Amino acid sequence: MILKTFGWSLAVTALGLAFAAWQWGWEAFGIVLILCVLEISLSFDNAVVNAGILKKMNAFWQRIFLTLGILVAVFGMRLVFPVVIVAISAEVGPVEAVRLALDEPGRYEDLVTDAHPAIAAFGGMFLLMIFLDFVFEDRDIKWLAWLERPLARLGKVDMLSVCVALAALLITATTFAAQAHVSTGHADRSATVLLSGIAGLITYLVVGGLSGYFEDRLEDEEEHEHAEEEKARAEGRPVSVAALAGKAAFFLFLYLEVLDASFSFDGVIGAFAITNHIFWMALGLGIGAMYVRSLTVYLVRQGTLDDYVYLEHGAHYAIGALAGILLVTVQHQIDEIVTGLIGVVLIAASFLSSVRRNRALAAADPEGPQGAGDDPRDTASDSKAEVTSGA
């Protein structure tokens, strides 16, 4: 199972590192390897969240996610995106931007630094909305119940997540953006941050709304299909909703791509702290992206999210932390190691809590399935399990 899922990632790693060493030497080999590890550490929470969405798709769309999706992720975000932001900010053509990256790496890095406030605002708002919509939703299973229960009650207020996100954007624009970090020192980027943040919010609402709409339509149609199949067996006529299912999966796929792009912002920007070479950057981050995609599929096929029910919670808290970090980096530089460690710690904590929960369930019902059923913290008879699993 592991070799089948991660086989392409391992092959690409071997070829990529060998090519880097052959084409540019051992320095490039080391930098590409570091960038690969950086991308995996920063995007592990991305894999967990993606798995929660991907498990709703069939095997065909999972393959599309690993093939066409990886082309978008690697070439779109890891190679084309840095060139595009430089081209826009410097008001030059893409070819000239590539020339700057190859011949004037210092100037290229300055241009990317100048574009960072806009990138951070867009990505930060998109990720913040994902986090807020998660914590404001009332869920049967709660990880940090002392926090999630009151937030779920607040979530009954219409459009609360949008209001909170806009308030965060306003604070960022009037504080951090007023002294945004650029290559020449500090400058007022309030208008840029406001516009980019609103664009990120609109992108989330449009893409997430469309995917949610078609997902709901698909669920309704599946219920209708189940009833029709019972009737069709007697009449001998087939029932198919393939067109609707394809449309729903397509918009979920788009949502996954935008989500992956938003997670890529910190990795791409953080990579400039290691190298200005766009081909080294694309190679290292691209290899890391392959592992993130493979890990997403592995989590889905192994049913890991069903067994370790708090992983999704930990991933969304990591998203919230990353969103806050992106907004703070409009003015202040934060080491990418800190960013990666926050996500790793939250994911690890949620995993350990899931393990303790499964042990508590097994102790309460030795013959019952582990990792399934109701959360022990939600039953009065399992108060001890609540303390154990909610740490």
Side-chain angles (χ1 to χ4, degrees):
M1 176 65 183
I2 294 179
L3 183 60
K4 180 180 179 181
T5 305
F6 290 91
W8 278 107
S9 299
L10 294 171
V12 170
T13 301
L15 292 175
L17 291 175
F19 179 78
W22 171 71
Q23 183 69 26
W24 298 295
W26 290 108
E27 179 185 2
F29 176 92
I31 290 176
V32 168
L33 183 60
I34 291 172
L35 289 173
C36 176
V37 175
L38 171 69
E39 176 69 13
I40 295 173
S41 63
L42 289 176
S43 300
F44 183 81
D45 49 355
N46 187 11
V48 176
V49 175
N50 283 354
I53 301 172
L54 195 65
K55 68 181 181 180
K56 302 173 185 178
M57 299 180 179
N58 57 28
F60 170 78
W61 281 101
Q62 291 180 10
R63 287 194 297 271
I64 292 294
F65 179 71
L66 273 178
T67 53
L68 178 61
I70 196 64
L71 292 176
V72 175
V74 174
F75 293 101
M77 288 305 302
R78 276 73 178 186
L79 180 59
V80 177
F81 176 66
V83 174
V84 169
I85 60 176
V86 170
I88 293 175
S89 62
E91 298 182 353
V92 298
V95 175
E96 177 63 15
V98 173
R99 189 198 64 79
L100 287 173
L102 296 176
D103 299 336
E104 301 180 47
R107 174 59 177 160
Y108 182 81
E109 182 180 4
D110 290 342
L111 294 174
V112 174
T113 301
D114 292 342
H116 177 73
I119 298 169
F122 181 92
M125 286 295 290
F126 189 92
L127 296 179
L128 181 60
M129 282 297 300
I130 295 173
F131 168 72
L132 292 175
D133 278 349
F134 181 85
V135 296
F136 285 147
E137 182 180 347
D138 190 8
R139 299 177 178 275
D140 294 333
I141 294 178
K142 297 176 176 62
W143 179 32
L144 305 178
W146 57 271
L147 175 62
E148 293 172 11
R149 285 197 178 110
L151 288 177
R153 288 193 290 268
L154 287 175
K156 295 179 181 179
V157 178
D158 290 339
M159 304 300 292
L160 180 61
S161 58
V162 175
C163 294
V164 172
L166 287 174
L169 177 61
L170 183 61
I171 293 173
T172 301
T174 56
T175 55
F176 300 130
Q179 288 293 318
H181 176 74
V182 296
S183 60
T184 56
H186 291 84
D188 189 348
R189 293 294 179 86
S190 300
T192 299
V193 167
L194 277 174
L195 289 174
S196 300
I198 291 174
L201 176 61
I202 292 174
T203 301
Y204 173 83
L205 293 176
V206 171
V207 178
L210 286 173
S211 63
Y213 168 75
F214 284 103
E215 183 183 351
D216 292 340
R217 287 285 304 275
L218 177 59
E219 291 177 355
D220 293 340
E221 192 67 23
E222 285 176 344
E223 294 178 0
H224 176 70
E225 178 190 11
H226 180 71
E228 286 292 320
E229 283 178 347
E230 296 296 328
K231 184 179 179 181
R233 288 192 184 96
E235 300 178 0
R237 57 181 179 83
V239 178
S240 176
V241 291
L244 180 61
K247 188 183 295 184
F250 173 71
F251 277 99
L252 285 177
F253 172 76
L254 289 183
Y255 179 72
L256 275 174
E257 289 304 307
V258 175
L259 181 63
D260 181 76
S262 295
F263 272 101
S264 302
F265 291 149
D266 64 317
V268 173
I269 298 303
F272 281 100
I274 299 174
T275 180
N276 297 324
H277 199 298
I278 59 172
F279 296 116
W280 296 2
M281 187 186 305
L283 191 57
L285 297 181
I287 293 173
M290 284 287 295
Y291 279 100
V292 174
R293 292 298 172 105
S294 298
L295 180 60
T296 298
V297 173
Y298 179 80
L299 292 174
V300 172
R301 294 176 179 172
Q302 290 292 100
T304 304
L305 296 184
D306 295 329
D307 294 336
Y308 303 97
V309 295
Y310 300 140
L311 271 181
E312 192 171 4
H313 295 72
H316 278 86
Y317 282 113
I319 289 175
L322 178 57
I325 288 173
L326 280 174
L327 294 178
V328 170
T329 57
V330 169
Q331 178 181 359
H332 303 287
Q333 292 182 337
I334 297 179
D335 196 303
E336 63 275 2
I337 295 178
V338 175
T339 304
L341 283 178
I342 290 176
V344 170
V345 168
L346 288 170
I347 293 291
S350 64
F351 174 78
L352 293 175
S353 293
S354 298
V355 171
R356 286 196 291 267
R357 170 187 181 274
N358 292 343
R359 289 176 179 172
L361 286 174
D365 185 11
E367 297 182 358
Q370 296 187 23
D374 296 331
D375 189 346
R377 73 178 65 231
D378 293 332
T379 60
S381 61
D382 292 328
S383 57
K384 182 178 179 181
E386 176 179 352
V387 175
T388 304
S389 64

